Amino acid sequence: MAKTKREEIDWALKLAPEYVPTLRLLEPCLTSVRWISYVYSADEEPGYSLRLPVNKGREAMAYLTFIIDNYDGLPESTVFVHASSVQWHNDIVGDKTANIFKDLRLDTIQRKGYVNLRCHLSPGCPFSVFPLSPSKTDIKVNDVRAYFADIYKELFSVTQEQVPEQIGSVCCAQFALSRDRIRNRPREDYVRMREWAIHTELDTVGVGWVFEMLWHIVFGEKPLQLVRGQRGIEKQIC
């Protein structure tokens, strides 16, 4: 998780029998699960020794940095969450993040590889971005959507022909991953993405938004997430 000075992580500490800041770990015992948490202090607070190269991109910088730093020693399952105890995009089990950990099924993470921790379809579905056909308004005001295709090509090192026409997935930036799913992409890819985040002219909010639109693709999901719904109808779903 990425933490700022104004964010408290007491909710996480209460899940743990002990907290050893010098070792940078948080070890809650939930049923038979043993979690180790990595807290990146964006504001370089005393007691938090994990650091970011720059404070930019909101949680995206922490997520990418964690993967880069721990690529060769990743656990079987990793959960990426915000630091605040309550998040509006937590839904099925309420708005408290701690409840997600209590109900999280590790077998599902291993089976699916990528699991978005939000289930409501809005925002994000059915479509979030049209990289190849931005609106006239987006172009006029120079919104990031106006040049999203160029960003996509740089982040994924692909050609114009490989840019999807439509991107859609449940928001936002809390998800669980298996080790194998993270390693489906080489470490160098994550380094390239973080370098883009550091050096782009987009501000921290813009960088964070871009990755919110793309996390599912970063981790191997299709640009449009489709599953079979009731009565065999294909529909957008988390």
Side-chain angles (χ1 to χ4, degrees):
M1 67 174 67
K3 179 189 182 304
T4 63
K5 284 183 179 179
R6 64 178 180 272
E7 291 179 309
E8 299 291 339
I9 59 170
D10 290 349
W11 66 271
L13 303 184
K14 290 177 181 178
L15 296 175
E18 60 180 330
Y19 179 54
V20 188
T22 56
L23 296 179
R24 307 187 304 279
L25 34 107
L26 169 68
E27 300 182 345
C29 293
L30 306 176
T31 62
S32 61
V33 180
R34 189 172 183 84
W35 293 100
I36 300 177
S37 292
Y38 290 75
V39 182
Y40 287 82
S41 173
D43 298 317
E44 300 188 354
E45 300 170 78
Y48 299 93
S49 54
L50 293 180
R51 295 288 184 261
L52 302 173
V54 295
N55 183 5
K56 184 180 180 183
R58 302 193 294 190
E59 69 282 333
M61 188 61 63
Y63 292 2
L64 292 171
T65 298
F66 169 81
I67 292 173
I68 292 167
D69 291 350
N70 298 279
Y71 189 86
D72 294 326
L74 291 166
E76 280 191 357
S77 299
T78 304
V79 182
F80 296 81
V81 296
H82 301 308
S84 297
S85 61
V86 175
Q87 300 290 336
W88 68 266
H89 40 68
N90 296 336
D91 47 25
I92 296 300
V93 295
D95 58 6
K96 294 182 178 179
T97 304
N99 291 338
I100 293 176
F101 283 87
K102 294 176 182 178
D103 289 353
L104 193 59
R105 295 177 59 94
L106 299 186
D107 58 332
T108 299
I109 299 173
Q110 292 303 308
R111 176 172 54 84
K112 297 186 68 174
Y114 170 87
V115 177
N116 194 314
L117 300 184
R118 178 175 171 81
C119 287
H120 289 172
L121 301 183
S122 179
C125 289
F127 310 110
S128 300
V129 186
F130 299 86
L132 301 179
S133 54
S135 70
K136 293 181 179 180
T137 300
D138 291 337
I139 296 172
K140 182 178 180 180
V141 301
N142 197 34
D143 185 87
V144 64
R145 292 175 177 84
Y147 48 93
F148 202 89
D150 291 333
I151 293 173
Y152 191 98
K153 288 188 292 183
E154 186 170 354
L155 286 175
F156 294 103
S157 189
V158 297
T159 64
Q160 180 78 9
E161 290 70 28
Q162 294 171 288
V163 177
E165 294 183 4
Q166 302 166 332
I167 294 174
S169 175
V170 177
C171 89
C172 298
Q174 293 195 137
F175 44 83
L177 293 163
S178 69
R179 175 170 55 210
D180 290 344
R181 181 59 69 93
I182 295 175
R183 288 182 178 168
N184 278 350
R185 187 176 292 282
R187 180 178 181 273
E188 290 73 21
D189 281 10
Y190 299 110
V191 172
R192 181 181 63 250
M193 293 175 187
R194 189 175 69 172
E195 284 298 299
W196 173 84
I198 292 172
H199 298 292
T200 179
E201 294 183 0
L202 285 176
D203 62 12
T204 190
V205 174
V207 171
W209 182 86
V210 166
F211 278 100
E212 283 191 0
M213 300 300 105
L214 295 176
W215 283 127
H216 65 294
I217 303 175
V218 170
F219 297 115
E221 298 294 307
K222 294 180 180 179
L224 284 178
Q225 290 194 290
L226 293 170
V227 300
R228 188 164 296 279
Q230 293 180 348
R231 301 179 182 176
I233 301 174
E234 290 288 343
K235 65 178 182 179
Q236 298 290 327
I237 197 166
C238 68

